[in-house]
């Protein structure tokens, strides 16, 4: 099969223009950035594929022993098995996805547990100002300001465009923070800590921005020195 033929046989390859938010009937929540007149942040280009990027490669995860744990500044620390986690209230979110490496995949439908729902269950304390996401990816972490973590369109996703998220894209469950660059949407999520003080994660320790807003001034919040 030719390279071009393989693209068009890829079920994730987009062959049409992105839909407009008002066309979406499958989602409970529409990410506000999809309503922008220009949905491409500064310095970004649209990709019709769904590229695979990570720090260490796809980890092997035993779904039978998978667990998700929440602790830190919360009233009720919790731990769920995969089956228990999948029973939590779920939503469907229509959102765009912007990678700091300058590609954007528009028109995504995510399904999973709202971050707000999880915060309500554990009772995050008022002094919690940040969240540190932890992954099965060999101790990988990333930090998220709590106001972005608790956005209506943020969720712990187990499906993408109506299908389970495959391992190379962060399945069985990944964090999705549509209003920040995609490195904040931690793949292979295994838990979160609620923190009072900000704590740099893997890429932040290497110089990436502590917040990471694609729509930030200039070229977006890509690096600490930008």
């Amino acid at each position: 099969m030719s390279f071009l033929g393989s693209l068009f046989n890829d079920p994730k390859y987009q062959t049409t223009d992105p839909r407009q938010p008002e066309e979406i009937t499958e989602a409970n929540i529409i990410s506000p950035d999809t309503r922008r007149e220009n949905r491409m942040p500064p310095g970004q280009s649209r990709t019709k594929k769904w590229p695979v990027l990570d720090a260490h490669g796809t980890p092997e995860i035993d779904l039978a022993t998978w667990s998700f744990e929440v602790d830190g500044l919360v009233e009720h620390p919790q731990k769920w098995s995969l089956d228990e986690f999948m029973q939590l209230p779920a939503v469907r979110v229509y959102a765009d996805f912007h990678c700091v490496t300058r590609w954007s995949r528009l028109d995504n439908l995510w399904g999973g547990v709202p971050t707000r729902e999880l915060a309500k269950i554990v009772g995050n304390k008022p002094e919690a100002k940040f969240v540190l996401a932890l992954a099965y990816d060999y101790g990988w972490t990333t930090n998220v300001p709590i106001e972005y973590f608790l956005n209506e369109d943020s969720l712990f996703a187990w499906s993408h465009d109506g299908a389970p998220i495959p391992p190379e894209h962060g399945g069985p469950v990944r964090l999705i923070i549509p209003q920040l660059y995609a490195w904040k949407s931690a793949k292979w999520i295994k838990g979160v800590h609620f923190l009072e003080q900000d704590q740099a994660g893997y890429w932040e320790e290497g110089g990436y921005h502590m917040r990471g807003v694609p729509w930030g001034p200039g070229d977006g919040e890509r690096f600490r020195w930008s």
Side-chain angles (χ1 to χ4, degrees):
M1 180 182 294
S2 69
F3 173 74
L4 186 61
S6 67
L7 285 181
F8 283 92
N9 280 279
D10 178 358
K12 292 296 183 181
Y13 187 82
Q14 298 174 319
T15 59
T16 62
D17 290 336
R19 294 170 293 173
Q20 296 302 308
E22 56 270 18
E23 300 177 65
I24 306 303
T25 60
E26 312 98 308
N28 310 88
I29 297 166
I30 303 295
S31 179
D33 285 339
T34 66
R35 300 187 187 277
R36 292 175 181 264
E37 183 176 355
N38 178 7
R39 288 163 64 169
M40 299 298 297
Q44 296 292 109
S45 298
R46 184 194 174 198
T47 180
K48 297 181 180 181
K49 300 180 290 182
W50 191 9
V52 175
L53 294 176
D54 51 60
H56 306 293
T58 303
E60 293 187 10
I61 299 174
D62 184 351
L63 301 186
T65 60
W66 183 95
S67 64
F68 185 95
E69 189 168 4
V70 182
D71 59 15
L73 295 174
V74 298
E75 299 289 349
H76 311 289
Q78 296 282 336
K79 187 175 183 179
W80 293 272
S81 68
L82 183 58
D83 182 65
E84 291 169 337
F85 197 78
M86 297 285 284
Q87 302 306 311
L88 295 176
V91 294
R92 294 184 301 277
V93 176
Y94 180 70
D96 296 335
F97 191 74
H98 307 294
C99 182
V100 72
T101 59
R102 298 189 181 278
W103 57 262
S104 292
R105 191 184 194 277
L106 309 183
D107 199 350
N108 301 276
L109 183 67
W110 303 99
V113 180
T115 53
R116 288 183 177 183
E117 177 67 25
L118 183 138
K120 182 173 71 173
I121 292 171
V122 300
N124 58 298
K125 296 181 179 180
E127 57 266 34
K129 304 301 181 185
F130 300 91
V131 169
L132 187 70
L134 300 92
Y136 282 96
D137 184 12
Y138 312 103
W140 192 92
T141 61
T142 194
N143 58 314
V144 181
I146 198 160
E147 63 267 26
Y148 286 90
F149 179 79
L150 295 179
N151 276 339
E152 184 185 33
D153 57 348
S154 297
L155 74 161
F156 296 100
W158 57 64
S159 71
H160 176 262
D161 289 349
I165 298 175
E168 66 270 21
H169 286 296
V173 180
R174 70 175 296 170
L175 179 62
I176 294 294
I177 310 289
Q179 296 182 51
L180 297 180
Y181 279 121
W183 92 80
K184 298 293 187 177
S185 295
K187 293 181 171 183
W188 310 298
I189 192 83
K190 69 175 182 179
V192 292
H193 294 313
F194 283 81
L195 304 171
E196 183 174 8
Q197 302 295 326
D198 203 1
Q199 180 178 325
Y202 178 86
W203 289 115
E204 293 82 14
E205 288 280 4
Y208 277 47
H209 202 281
M210 291 294 281
R211 185 172 63 175
V213 175
W215 303 95
D219 197 34
E221 295 178 344
R222 301 176 191 273
F223 306 104
R224 293 197 198 188
W225 55 83
S226 60

